[in-house]
Amino acid sequence: MAELNTGGDDGGKGKKVRSKKQNSKVDLTAMVDLAFLLITFFMLTTSLSKPQSMDLGMPEKDSKIPPILIADARTLTILVGENNTLKTYMGQFASPIEAPTSTTYGKDGIRKKILEKVASVPVTMGDPKKGLIVIIKASKKSNYKNLVDVLDEMAICKVPTYAIVDIEKAEDALLKN
């Protein structure tokens, strides 16, 4: 039981006592109970922040999906490597329209490149409905944060079509150079 003593006892050290005063006690048990009830109430009624997630559709490993033919001028491939390395090229790896170039993360690097391609691809194709398609390939030694950063750039640049694909050995070797 919690108590609060407000009066004191002299202890009878030779002083004259005129009248004997009662010690007043305040029982704080009810206040402690109320405090715990309020803490419990607010903990249970507050809404916790919900994790934000991005919808990402991935095919099953065993499914046999036929290859889709896409114009090389529409595809930008982003290679994500270890130690924050990032390389991009247009078209196919064997015969690229634009040779593989290194770039950085952020607005002056990959974002600038993606925005340029989002604007130029419909003009190149001659059809505003045929926009940019980005293929993201992460190496086994790349970290998760870098892949998420690239996915964030897709959302920021409003790229309508992008895919995460397994990296080929030749592309992985390019990242190591």
Side-chain angles (χ1 to χ4, degrees):
M1 179 159 113
E3 295 180 355
L4 176 65
N5 294 329
T6 57
D9 187 20
D10 293 351
K13 297 189 180 181
K15 293 186 180 178
K16 237 182 189 181
V17 178
R18 290 188 190 160
S19 65
K20 192 170 188 179
K21 294 185 180 179
Q22 293 286 335
N23 286 339
S24 60
K25 294 181 181 181
V26 178
D27 187 15
L28 297 176
T29 305
M31 189 173 302
V32 171
D33 286 344
L34 180 64
F36 281 115
L37 284 173
L38 286 173
I39 289 171
T40 305
F41 173 77
F42 285 117
M43 283 176 53
L44 294 175
T45 57
T46 58
S47 62
L48 301 174
S49 63
K50 295 179 180 170
Q52 297 177 349
S53 63
M54 176 183 272
D55 291 333
L56 185 64
M58 298 290 287
E60 294 180 22
K61 289 280 185 187
D62 297 335
S63 66
K64 301 290 183 196
I65 300 173
I68 300 170
L69 300 177
I70 302 169
D72 290 346
R74 290 181 66 190
T75 59
L76 172 69
T77 303
I78 301 174
L79 303 174
V80 182
E82 64 181 325
N83 298 328
N84 299 330
T85 56
L86 199 62
K87 294 196 178 195
T88 63
Y89 63 89
M90 285 292 290
Q92 295 181 16
F93 184 72
S95 58
I97 294 172
E98 290 181 14
T101 56
S102 295
T103 187
T104 59
Y105 292 93
K107 66 178 183 178
D108 293 328
I110 189 69
R111 186 178 307 164
K112 184 177 178 183
K113 178 105 176 174
I114 293 170
L115 288 173
E116 287 173 3
K117 296 301 175 186
V118 165
S120 68
V121 165
V123 174
T124 304
M125 296 303 294
D127 186 2
K129 293 181 182 177
K130 293 186 177 181
L132 177 68
I133 297 173
V134 178
I135 300 172
I136 304 165
K137 297 182 178 185
S139 72
K140 299 267 186 211
K141 294 186 178 181
S142 64
N143 63 24
Y144 185 72
K145 179 191 177 301
N146 291 342
L147 181 63
V148 171
D149 288 343
V150 172
L151 289 173
D152 285 342
E153 294 298 333
M154 297 299 115
I156 291 169
C157 297
K158 296 183 175 98
V159 176
T161 308
Y162 57 91
I164 300 174
V165 181
D166 291 333
I167 193 166
E168 296 174 10
K169 289 182 182 180
E171 293 168 329
D172 201 22
L174 174 70
L175 281 171
K176 293 177 182 174
N177 292 339

PDB file of all heavy atoms in Angstrom, residues 45-85:
ATOM      1  N   THR A  45      -5.138   1.728 -27.410  1.00  0.00           N
ATOM      2  CA  THR A  45      -5.985   2.468 -28.347  1.00  0.00           C
ATOM      3  C   THR A  45      -5.204   3.260 -29.389  1.00  0.00           C
ATOM      4  O   THR A  45      -5.785   3.668 -30.390  1.00  0.00           O
ATOM      5  CB  THR A  45      -6.909   3.435 -27.593  1.00  0.00           C
ATOM      6  OG1 THR A  45      -6.122   4.329 -26.799  1.00  0.00           O
ATOM      7  CG2 THR A  45      -7.879   2.674 -26.719  1.00  0.00           C
ATOM      8  N   THR A  46      -3.920   3.504 -29.172  1.00  0.00           N
ATOM      9  CA  THR A  46      -3.166   4.241 -30.187  1.00  0.00           C
ATOM     10  C   THR A  46      -2.886   3.330 -31.374  1.00  0.00           C
ATOM     11  O   THR A  46      -2.695   2.130 -31.226  1.00  0.00           O
ATOM     12  CB  THR A  46      -1.825   4.758 -29.634  1.00  0.00           C
ATOM     13  OG1 THR A  46      -1.061   3.661 -29.151  1.00  0.00           O
ATOM     14  CG2 THR A  46      -2.019   5.765 -28.544  1.00  0.00           C
ATOM     15  N   SER A  47      -2.855   3.922 -32.538  1.00  0.00           N
ATOM     16  CA  SER A  47      -2.550   3.126 -33.731  1.00  0.00           C
ATOM     17  C   SER A  47      -1.049   3.187 -33.969  1.00  0.00           C
ATOM     18  O   SER A  47      -0.451   4.253 -33.998  1.00  0.00           O
ATOM     19  CB  SER A  47      -3.306   3.671 -34.940  1.00  0.00           C
ATOM     20  OG  SER A  47      -2.896   4.991 -35.195  1.00  0.00           O
ATOM     21  N   LEU A  48      -0.471   2.024 -34.124  1.00  0.00           N
ATOM     22  CA  LEU A  48       0.948   1.953 -34.392  1.00  0.00           C
ATOM     23  C   LEU A  48       1.185   2.236 -35.865  1.00  0.00           C
ATOM     24  O   LEU A  48       0.316   2.010 -36.707  1.00  0.00           O
ATOM     25  CB  LEU A  48       1.476   0.571 -34.017  1.00  0.00           C
ATOM     26  CG  LEU A  48       1.278   0.179 -32.550  1.00  0.00           C
ATOM     27  CD1 LEU A  48       1.711  -1.257 -32.335  1.00  0.00           C
ATOM     28  CD2 LEU A  48       2.083   1.097 -31.651  1.00  0.00           C
ATOM     29  N   SER A  49       2.352   2.743 -36.197  1.00  0.00           N
ATOM     30  CA  SER A  49       2.640   3.037 -37.594  1.00  0.00           C
ATOM     31  C   SER A  49       2.734   1.730 -38.371  1.00  0.00           C
ATOM     32  O   SER A  49       3.410   0.788 -37.972  1.00  0.00           O
ATOM     33  CB  SER A  49       3.946   3.825 -37.722  1.00  0.00           C
ATOM     34  OG  SER A  49       5.023   3.060 -37.254  1.00  0.00           O
ATOM     35  N   LYS A  50       2.040   1.694 -39.471  1.00  0.00           N
ATOM     36  CA  LYS A  50       2.017   0.488 -40.283  1.00  0.00           C
ATOM     37  C   LYS A  50       3.168   0.540 -41.275  1.00  0.00           C
ATOM     38  O   LYS A  50       3.455   1.589 -41.837  1.00  0.00           O
ATOM     39  CB  LYS A  50       0.686   0.388 -41.011  1.00  0.00           C
ATOM     40  CG  LYS A  50      -0.470   0.208 -40.049  1.00  0.00           C
ATOM     41  CD  LYS A  50      -1.792   0.131 -40.755  1.00  0.00           C
ATOM     42  CE  LYS A  50      -2.897  -0.040 -39.710  1.00  0.00           C
ATOM     43  NZ  LYS A  50      -4.217   0.098 -40.272  1.00  0.00           N
ATOM     44  N   PRO A  51       3.829  -0.581 -41.495  1.00  0.00           N
ATOM     45  CA  PRO A  51       4.947  -0.576 -42.449  1.00  0.00           C
ATOM     46  C   PRO A  51       4.432  -0.320 -43.861  1.00  0.00           C
ATOM     47  O   PRO A  51       3.381  -0.827 -44.253  1.00  0.00           O
ATOM     48  CB  PRO A  51       5.548  -1.965 -42.317  1.00  0.00           C
ATOM     49  CG  PRO A  51       4.467  -2.802 -41.741  1.00  0.00           C
ATOM     50  CD  PRO A  51       3.615  -1.885 -40.908  1.00  0.00           C
ATOM     51  N   GLN A  52       5.188   0.478 -44.586  1.00  0.00           N
ATOM     52  CA  GLN A  52       4.827   0.769 -45.966  1.00  0.00           C
ATOM     53  C   GLN A  52       5.490  -0.266 -46.862  1.00  0.00           C
ATOM     54  O   GLN A  52       6.663  -0.575 -46.697  1.00  0.00           O
ATOM     55  CB  GLN A  52       5.279   2.165 -46.348  1.00  0.00           C
ATOM     56  CG  GLN A  52       4.598   3.244 -45.533  1.00  0.00           C
ATOM     57  CD  GLN A  52       5.115   4.623 -45.890  1.00  0.00           C
ATOM     58  OE1 GLN A  52       6.097   4.758 -46.592  1.00  0.00           O
ATOM     59  NE2 GLN A  52       4.458   5.631 -45.387  1.00  0.00           N
ATOM     60  N   SER A  53       4.738  -0.754 -47.800  1.00  0.00           N
ATOM     61  CA  SER A  53       5.304  -1.752 -48.700  1.00  0.00           C
ATOM     62  C   SER A  53       4.922  -1.429 -50.130  1.00  0.00           C
ATOM     63  O   SER A  53       3.963  -0.712 -50.394  1.00  0.00           O
ATOM     64  CB  SER A  53       4.829  -3.153 -48.322  1.00  0.00           C
ATOM     65  OG  SER A  53       3.424  -3.226 -48.470  1.00  0.00           O
ATOM     66  N   MET A  54       5.701  -1.961 -51.018  1.00  0.00           N
ATOM     67  CA  MET A  54       5.468  -1.751 -52.438  1.00  0.00           C
ATOM     68  C   MET A  54       4.977  -3.061 -53.026  1.00  0.00           C
ATOM     69  O   MET A  54       5.533  -4.124 -52.747  1.00  0.00           O
ATOM     70  CB  MET A  54       6.792  -1.321 -53.087  1.00  0.00           C
ATOM     71  CG  MET A  54       6.744  -1.157 -54.572  1.00  0.00           C
ATOM     72  SD  MET A  54       8.358  -0.747 -55.230  1.00  0.00           S
ATOM     73  CE  MET A  54       8.316   1.009 -55.098  1.00  0.00           C
ATOM     74  N   ASP A  55       3.918  -3.011 -53.830  1.00  0.00           N
ATOM     75  CA  ASP A  55       3.414  -4.215 -54.483  1.00  0.00           C
ATOM     76  C   ASP A  55       4.417  -4.675 -55.526  1.00  0.00           C
ATOM     77  O   ASP A  55       4.864  -3.891 -56.360  1.00  0.00           O
ATOM     78  CB  ASP A  55       2.067  -3.942 -55.147  1.00  0.00           C
ATOM     79  CG  ASP A  55       0.972  -3.710 -54.126  1.00  0.00           C
ATOM     80  OD1 ASP A  55       1.102  -4.236 -53.012  1.00  0.00           O
ATOM     81  OD2 ASP A  55      -0.007  -3.013 -54.440  1.00  0.00           O
ATOM     82  N   LEU A  56       4.770  -5.925 -55.447  1.00  0.00           N
ATOM     83  CA  LEU A  56       5.745  -6.476 -56.370  1.00  0.00           C
ATOM     84  C   LEU A  56       5.289  -7.871 -56.761  1.00  0.00           C
ATOM     85  O   LEU A  56       5.201  -8.763 -55.914  1.00  0.00           O
ATOM     86  CB  LEU A  56       7.124  -6.525 -55.693  1.00  0.00           C
ATOM     87  CG  LEU A  56       8.298  -6.958 -56.536  1.00  0.00           C
ATOM     88  CD1 LEU A  56       8.526  -5.964 -57.661  1.00  0.00           C
ATOM     89  CD2 LEU A  56       9.541  -7.049 -55.685  1.00  0.00           C
ATOM     90  N   GLY A  57       4.947  -8.039 -58.012  1.00  0.00           N
ATOM     91  CA  GLY A  57       4.496  -9.341 -58.500  1.00  0.00           C
ATOM     92  C   GLY A  57       5.670 -10.130 -59.048  1.00  0.00           C
ATOM     93  O   GLY A  57       6.368  -9.670 -59.935  1.00  0.00           O
ATOM     94  N   MET A  58       5.900 -11.287 -58.506  1.00  0.00           N
ATOM     95  CA  MET A  58       7.002 -12.146 -58.948  1.00  0.00           C
ATOM     96  C   MET A  58       6.411 -13.472 -59.425  1.00  0.00           C
ATOM     97  O   MET A  58       5.537 -14.035 -58.777  1.00  0.00           O
ATOM     98  CB  MET A  58       7.979 -12.406 -57.800  1.00  0.00           C
ATOM     99  CG  MET A  58       8.652 -11.177 -57.242  1.00  0.00           C
ATOM    100  SD  MET A  58       9.837 -10.456 -58.352  1.00  0.00           S
ATOM    101  CE  MET A  58      11.152 -11.632 -58.238  1.00  0.00           C
ATOM    102  N   PRO A  59       6.911 -13.985 -60.551  1.00  0.00           N
ATOM    103  CA  PRO A  59       6.409 -15.283 -61.025  1.00  0.00           C
ATOM    104  C   PRO A  59       6.958 -16.412 -60.162  1.00  0.00           C
ATOM    105  O   PRO A  59       7.971 -16.272 -59.497  1.00  0.00           O
ATOM    106  CB  PRO A  59       6.955 -15.368 -62.453  1.00  0.00           C
ATOM    107  CG  PRO A  59       8.179 -14.515 -62.424  1.00  0.00           C
ATOM    108  CD  PRO A  59       7.894 -13.410 -61.444  1.00  0.00           C
ATOM    109  N   GLU A  60       6.273 -17.533 -60.225  1.00  0.00           N
ATOM    110  CA  GLU A  60       6.747 -18.701 -59.503  1.00  0.00           C
ATOM    111  C   GLU A  60       7.962 -19.268 -60.211  1.00  0.00           C
ATOM    112  O   GLU A  60       8.124 -19.126 -61.420  1.00  0.00           O
ATOM    113  CB  GLU A  60       5.640 -19.753 -59.431  1.00  0.00           C
ATOM    114  CG  GLU A  60       4.450 -19.307 -58.604  1.00  0.00           C
ATOM    115  CD  GLU A  60       3.374 -20.370 -58.546  1.00  0.00           C
ATOM    116  OE1 GLU A  60       3.696 -21.559 -58.771  1.00  0.00           O
ATOM    117  OE2 GLU A  60       2.233 -20.017 -58.270  1.00  0.00           O
ATOM    118  N   LYS A  61       8.822 -19.942 -59.476  1.00  0.00           N
ATOM    119  CA  LYS A  61      10.051 -20.497 -60.042  1.00  0.00           C
ATOM    120  C   LYS A  61       9.777 -21.572 -61.093  1.00  0.00           C
ATOM    121  O   LYS A  61      10.484 -21.693 -62.075  1.00  0.00           O
ATOM    122  CB  LYS A  61      10.931 -21.088 -58.936  1.00  0.00           C
ATOM    123  CG  LYS A  61      11.552 -20.060 -58.041  1.00  0.00           C
ATOM    124  CD  LYS A  61      12.747 -19.465 -58.714  1.00  0.00           C
ATOM    125  CE  LYS A  61      13.452 -18.525 -57.758  1.00  0.00           C
ATOM    126  NZ  LYS A  61      14.514 -17.794 -58.383  1.00  0.00           N
ATOM    127  N   ASP A  62       8.739 -22.373 -60.883  1.00  0.00           N
ATOM    128  CA  ASP A  62       8.486 -23.506 -61.768  1.00  0.00           C
ATOM    129  C   ASP A  62       7.659 -23.155 -62.993  1.00  0.00           C
ATOM    130  O   ASP A  62       7.509 -23.970 -63.889  1.00  0.00           O
ATOM    131  CB  ASP A  62       7.778 -24.623 -60.988  1.00  0.00           C
ATOM    132  CG  ASP A  62       8.654 -25.149 -59.859  1.00  0.00           C
ATOM    133  OD1 ASP A  62       9.883 -25.016 -59.967  1.00  0.00           O
ATOM    134  OD2 ASP A  62       8.103 -25.676 -58.887  1.00  0.00           O
ATOM    135  N   SER A  63       7.103 -21.960 -63.030  1.00  0.00           N
ATOM    136  CA  SER A  63       6.215 -21.627 -64.146  1.00  0.00           C
ATOM    137  C   SER A  63       7.009 -21.390 -65.424  1.00  0.00           C
ATOM    138  O   SER A  63       8.103 -20.835 -65.415  1.00  0.00           O
ATOM    139  CB  SER A  63       5.390 -20.389 -63.801  1.00  0.00           C
ATOM    140  OG  SER A  63       6.227 -19.263 -63.697  1.00  0.00           O
ATOM    141  N   LYS A  64       6.470 -21.850 -66.497  1.00  0.00           N
ATOM    142  CA  LYS A  64       7.096 -21.696 -67.815  1.00  0.00           C
ATOM    143  C   LYS A  64       6.430 -20.528 -68.528  1.00  0.00           C
ATOM    144  O   LYS A  64       5.341 -20.648 -69.076  1.00  0.00           O
ATOM    145  CB  LYS A  64       6.940 -22.978 -68.647  1.00  0.00           C
ATOM    146  CG  LYS A  64       7.553 -24.188 -67.990  1.00  0.00           C
ATOM    147  CD  LYS A  64       9.070 -24.089 -67.985  1.00  0.00           C
ATOM    148  CE  LYS A  64       9.638 -25.362 -67.388  1.00  0.00           C
ATOM    149  NZ  LYS A  64      10.986 -25.241 -67.000  1.00  0.00           N
ATOM    150  N   ILE A  65       7.093 -19.386 -68.477  1.00  0.00           N
ATOM    151  CA  ILE A  65       6.560 -18.196 -69.116  1.00  0.00           C
ATOM    152  C   ILE A  65       7.300 -17.994 -70.431  1.00  0.00           C
ATOM    153  O   ILE A  65       8.535 -17.928 -70.440  1.00  0.00           O
ATOM    154  CB  ILE A  65       6.731 -16.961 -68.208  1.00  0.00           C
ATOM    155  CG1 ILE A  65       5.987 -17.189 -66.901  1.00  0.00           C
ATOM    156  CG2 ILE A  65       6.229 -15.710 -68.900  1.00  0.00           C
ATOM    157  CD1 ILE A  65       6.231 -16.114 -65.875  1.00  0.00           C
ATOM    158  N   PRO A  66       6.575 -17.876 -71.527  1.00  0.00           N
ATOM    159  CA  PRO A  66       7.255 -17.668 -72.803  1.00  0.00           C
ATOM    160  C   PRO A  66       7.891 -16.277 -72.835  1.00  0.00           C
ATOM    161  O   PRO A  66       7.370 -15.335 -72.234  1.00  0.00           O
ATOM    162  CB  PRO A  66       6.133 -17.784 -73.835  1.00  0.00           C
ATOM    163  CG  PRO A  66       4.886 -17.494 -73.081  1.00  0.00           C
ATOM    164  CD  PRO A  66       5.131 -17.943 -71.680  1.00  0.00           C
ATOM    165  N   PRO A  67       9.022 -16.135 -73.509  1.00  0.00           N
ATOM    166  CA  PRO A  67       9.670 -14.824 -73.560  1.00  0.00           C
ATOM    167  C   PRO A  67       8.825 -13.824 -74.337  1.00  0.00           C
ATOM    168  O   PRO A  67       8.141 -14.171 -75.298  1.00  0.00           O
ATOM    169  CB  PRO A  67      10.993 -15.111 -74.274  1.00  0.00           C
ATOM    170  CG  PRO A  67      10.798 -16.400 -74.977  1.00  0.00           C
ATOM    171  CD  PRO A  67       9.761 -17.156 -74.219  1.00  0.00           C
ATOM    172  N   ILE A  68       8.891 -12.583 -73.880  1.00  0.00           N
ATOM    173  CA  ILE A  68       8.149 -11.502 -74.526  1.00  0.00           C
ATOM    174  C   ILE A  68       9.146 -10.665 -75.311  1.00  0.00           C
ATOM    175  O   ILE A  68      10.159 -10.217 -74.777  1.00  0.00           O
ATOM    176  CB  ILE A  68       7.432 -10.636 -73.468  1.00  0.00           C
ATOM    177  CG1 ILE A  68       6.467 -11.497 -72.664  1.00  0.00           C
ATOM    178  CG2 ILE A  68       6.704  -9.488 -74.134  1.00  0.00           C
ATOM    179  CD1 ILE A  68       5.900 -10.801 -71.454  1.00  0.00           C
ATOM    180  N   LEU A  69       8.859 -10.468 -76.582  1.00  0.00           N
ATOM    181  CA  LEU A  69       9.747  -9.683 -77.429  1.00  0.00           C
ATOM    182  C   LEU A  69       9.432  -8.194 -77.263  1.00  0.00           C
ATOM    183  O   LEU A  69       8.296  -7.768 -77.449  1.00  0.00           O
ATOM    184  CB  LEU A  69       9.603 -10.112 -78.888  1.00  0.00           C
ATOM    185  CG  LEU A  69       9.943 -11.576 -79.173  1.00  0.00           C
ATOM    186  CD1 LEU A  69       9.684 -11.895 -80.627  1.00  0.00           C
ATOM    187  CD2 LEU A  69      11.390 -11.872 -78.817  1.00  0.00           C
ATOM    188  N   ILE A  70      10.456  -7.433 -76.923  1.00  0.00           N
ATOM    189  CA  ILE A  70      10.317  -5.995 -76.689  1.00  0.00           C
ATOM    190  C   ILE A  70      11.393  -5.296 -77.499  1.00  0.00           C
ATOM    191  O   ILE A  70      12.519  -5.789 -77.624  1.00  0.00           O
ATOM    192  CB  ILE A  70      10.483  -5.667 -75.189  1.00  0.00           C
ATOM    193  CG1 ILE A  70       9.448  -6.423 -74.366  1.00  0.00           C
ATOM    194  CG2 ILE A  70      10.351  -4.181 -74.945  1.00  0.00           C
ATOM    195  CD1 ILE A  70       9.688  -6.376 -72.894  1.00  0.00           C
ATOM    196  N   ALA A  71      11.069  -4.136 -78.005  1.00  0.00           N
ATOM    197  CA  ALA A  71      12.042  -3.358 -78.768  1.00  0.00           C
ATOM    198  C   ALA A  71      13.215  -2.970 -77.874  1.00  0.00           C
ATOM    199  O   ALA A  71      13.028  -2.559 -76.720  1.00  0.00           O
ATOM    200  CB  ALA A  71      11.383  -2.110 -79.335  1.00  0.00           C
ATOM    201  N   ASP A  72      14.426  -3.105 -78.409  1.00  0.00           N
ATOM    202  CA  ASP A  72      15.627  -2.776 -77.629  1.00  0.00           C
ATOM    203  C   ASP A  72      15.664  -1.314 -77.231  1.00  0.00           C
ATOM    204  O   ASP A  72      16.233  -0.957 -76.201  1.00  0.00           O
ATOM    205  CB  ASP A  72      16.886  -3.118 -78.441  1.00  0.00           C
ATOM    206  CG  ASP A  72      17.085  -4.622 -78.585  1.00  0.00           C
ATOM    207  OD1 ASP A  72      16.422  -5.373 -77.849  1.00  0.00           O
ATOM    208  OD2 ASP A  72      17.901  -5.027 -79.427  1.00  0.00           O
ATOM    209  N   ALA A  73      15.064  -0.451 -78.032  1.00  0.00           N
ATOM    210  CA  ALA A  73      15.082   0.985 -77.748  1.00  0.00           C
ATOM    211  C   ALA A  73      14.216   1.344 -76.545  1.00  0.00           C
ATOM    212  O   ALA A  73      14.308   2.461 -76.031  1.00  0.00           O
ATOM    213  CB  ALA A  73      14.618   1.766 -78.968  1.00  0.00           C
ATOM    214  N   ARG A  74      13.397   0.406 -76.070  1.00  0.00           N
ATOM    215  CA  ARG A  74      12.525   0.669 -74.910  1.00  0.00           C
ATOM    216  C   ARG A  74      13.106   0.161 -73.599  1.00  0.00           C
ATOM    217  O   ARG A  74      12.606   0.521 -72.535  1.00  0.00           O
ATOM    218  CB  ARG A  74      11.171  -0.019 -75.111  1.00  0.00           C
ATOM    219  CG  ARG A  74      10.313   0.590 -76.174  1.00  0.00           C
ATOM    220  CD  ARG A  74       8.996  -0.132 -76.281  1.00  0.00           C
ATOM    221  NE  ARG A  74       8.196   0.046 -75.070  1.00  0.00           N
ATOM    222  CZ  ARG A  74       7.085  -0.628 -74.822  1.00  0.00           C
ATOM    223  NH1 ARG A  74       6.644  -1.523 -75.678  1.00  0.00           N
ATOM    224  NH2 ARG A  74       6.414  -0.408 -73.719  1.00  0.00           N
ATOM    225  N   THR A  75      14.103  -0.708 -73.637  1.00  0.00           N
ATOM    226  CA  THR A  75      14.562  -1.365 -72.415  1.00  0.00           C
ATOM    227  C   THR A  75      15.844  -0.744 -71.866  1.00  0.00           C
ATOM    228  O   THR A  75      16.842  -0.621 -72.570  1.00  0.00           O
ATOM    229  CB  THR A  75      14.806  -2.863 -72.655  1.00  0.00           C
ATOM    230  OG1 THR A  75      15.784  -3.018 -73.669  1.00  0.00           O
ATOM    231  CG2 THR A  75      13.537  -3.564 -73.050  1.00  0.00           C
ATOM    232  N   LEU A  76      15.773  -0.371 -70.632  1.00  0.00           N
ATOM    233  CA  LEU A  76      16.935   0.096 -69.876  1.00  0.00           C
ATOM    234  C   LEU A  76      17.218  -0.965 -68.821  1.00  0.00           C
ATOM    235  O   LEU A  76      16.329  -1.322 -68.038  1.00  0.00           O
ATOM    236  CB  LEU A  76      16.654   1.444 -69.206  1.00  0.00           C
ATOM    237  CG  LEU A  76      17.713   1.955 -68.233  1.00  0.00           C
ATOM    238  CD1 LEU A  76      18.981   2.342 -68.987  1.00  0.00           C
ATOM    239  CD2 LEU A  76      17.196   3.136 -67.437  1.00  0.00           C
ATOM    240  N   THR A  77      18.426  -1.482 -68.812  1.00  0.00           N
ATOM    241  CA  THR A  77      18.803  -2.497 -67.829  1.00  0.00           C
ATOM    242  C   THR A  77      19.692  -1.852 -66.780  1.00  0.00           C
ATOM    243  O   THR A  77      20.640  -1.148 -67.113  1.00  0.00           O
ATOM    244  CB  THR A  77      19.546  -3.665 -68.501  1.00  0.00           C
ATOM    245  OG1 THR A  77      18.717  -4.207 -69.526  1.00  0.00           O
ATOM    246  CG2 THR A  77      19.858  -4.754 -67.496  1.00  0.00           C
ATOM    247  N   ILE A  78      19.354  -2.091 -65.516  1.00  0.00           N
ATOM    248  CA  ILE A  78      20.133  -1.573 -64.389  1.00  0.00           C
ATOM    249  C   ILE A  78      20.761  -2.759 -63.679  1.00  0.00           C
ATOM    250  O   ILE A  78      20.056  -3.662 -63.218  1.00  0.00           O
ATOM    251  CB  ILE A  78      19.249  -0.770 -63.414  1.00  0.00           C
ATOM    252  CG1 ILE A  78      18.600   0.411 -64.143  1.00  0.00           C
ATOM    253  CG2 ILE A  78      20.056  -0.294 -62.222  1.00  0.00           C
ATOM    254  CD1 ILE A  78      17.592   1.169 -63.304  1.00  0.00           C
ATOM    255  N   LEU A  79      22.076  -2.760 -63.589  1.00  0.00           N
ATOM    256  CA  LEU A  79      22.819  -3.813 -62.894  1.00  0.00           C
ATOM    257  C   LEU A  79      23.225  -3.293 -61.525  1.00  0.00           C
ATOM    258  O   LEU A  79      23.881  -2.250 -61.425  1.00  0.00           O
ATOM    259  CB  LEU A  79      24.055  -4.214 -63.695  1.00  0.00           C
ATOM    260  CG  LEU A  79      23.822  -4.685 -65.130  1.00  0.00           C
ATOM    261  CD1 LEU A  79      25.141  -4.916 -65.836  1.00  0.00           C
ATOM    262  CD2 LEU A  79      22.980  -5.940 -65.143  1.00  0.00           C
ATOM    263  N   VAL A  80      22.834  -3.995 -60.474  1.00  0.00           N
ATOM    264  CA  VAL A  80      23.142  -3.604 -59.104  1.00  0.00           C
ATOM    265  C   VAL A  80      24.213  -4.553 -58.582  1.00  0.00           C
ATOM    266  O   VAL A  80      23.997  -5.758 -58.513  1.00  0.00           O
ATOM    267  CB  VAL A  80      21.881  -3.668 -58.206  1.00  0.00           C
ATOM    268  CG1 VAL A  80      22.202  -3.216 -56.800  1.00  0.00           C
ATOM    269  CG2 VAL A  80      20.757  -2.841 -58.805  1.00  0.00           C
ATOM    270  N   GLY A  81      25.366  -3.991 -58.218  1.00  0.00           N
ATOM    271  CA  GLY A  81      26.477  -4.814 -57.757  1.00  0.00           C
ATOM    272  C   GLY A  81      26.839  -4.534 -56.311  1.00  0.00           C
ATOM    273  O   GLY A  81      26.163  -3.779 -55.609  1.00  0.00           O
ATOM    274  N   GLU A  82      27.941  -5.163 -55.883  1.00  0.00           N
ATOM    275  CA  GLU A  82      28.389  -4.964 -54.508  1.00  0.00           C
ATOM    276  C   GLU A  82      29.098  -3.614 -54.376  1.00  0.00           C
ATOM    277  O   GLU A  82      29.485  -2.996 -55.364  1.00  0.00           O
ATOM    278  CB  GLU A  82      29.306  -6.106 -54.074  1.00  0.00           C
ATOM    279  CG  GLU A  82      30.597  -6.214 -54.837  1.00  0.00           C
ATOM    280  CD  GLU A  82      31.445  -7.383 -54.356  1.00  0.00           C
ATOM    281  OE1 GLU A  82      31.437  -7.683 -53.158  1.00  0.00           O
ATOM    282  OE2 GLU A  82      32.109  -7.985 -55.202  1.00  0.00           O
ATOM    283  N   ASN A  83      29.256  -3.149 -53.138  1.00  0.00           N
ATOM    284  CA  ASN A  83      29.912  -1.872 -52.820  1.00  0.00           C
ATOM    285  C   ASN A  83      29.270  -0.700 -53.546  1.00  0.00           C
ATOM    286  O   ASN A  83      29.955   0.185 -54.060  1.00  0.00           O
ATOM    287  CB  ASN A  83      31.415  -1.933 -53.142  1.00  0.00           C
ATOM    288  CG  ASN A  83      32.122  -2.983 -52.326  1.00  0.00           C
ATOM    289  OD1 ASN A  83      31.746  -3.255 -51.189  1.00  0.00           O
ATOM    290  ND2 ASN A  83      33.125  -3.603 -52.908  1.00  0.00           N
ATOM    291  N   ASN A  84      27.947  -0.688 -53.622  1.00  0.00           N
ATOM    292  CA  ASN A  84      27.170   0.410 -54.204  1.00  0.00           C
ATOM    293  C   ASN A  84      27.483   0.673 -55.670  1.00  0.00           C
ATOM    294  O   ASN A  84      27.360   1.800 -56.137  1.00  0.00           O
ATOM    295  CB  ASN A  84      27.354   1.698 -53.390  1.00  0.00           C
ATOM    296  CG  ASN A  84      26.881   1.552 -51.969  1.00  0.00           C
ATOM    297  OD1 ASN A  84      25.966   0.785 -51.689  1.00  0.00           O
ATOM    298  ND2 ASN A  84      27.503   2.263 -51.067  1.00  0.00           N
ATOM    299  N   THR A  85      27.905  -0.345 -56.410  1.00  0.00           N
ATOM    300  CA  THR A  85      28.149  -0.151 -57.843  1.00  0.00           C
ATOM    301  C   THR A  85      26.836  -0.291 -58.601  1.00  0.00           C
ATOM    302  O   THR A  85      25.975  -1.096 -58.243  1.00  0.00           O
ATOM    303  CB  THR A  85      29.165  -1.170 -58.394  1.00  0.00           C
ATOM    304  OG1 THR A  85      28.696  -2.483 -58.106  1.00  0.00           O
ATOM    305  CG2 THR A  85      30.533  -0.953 -57.785  1.00  0.00           C
TER     306      THR A  85
END
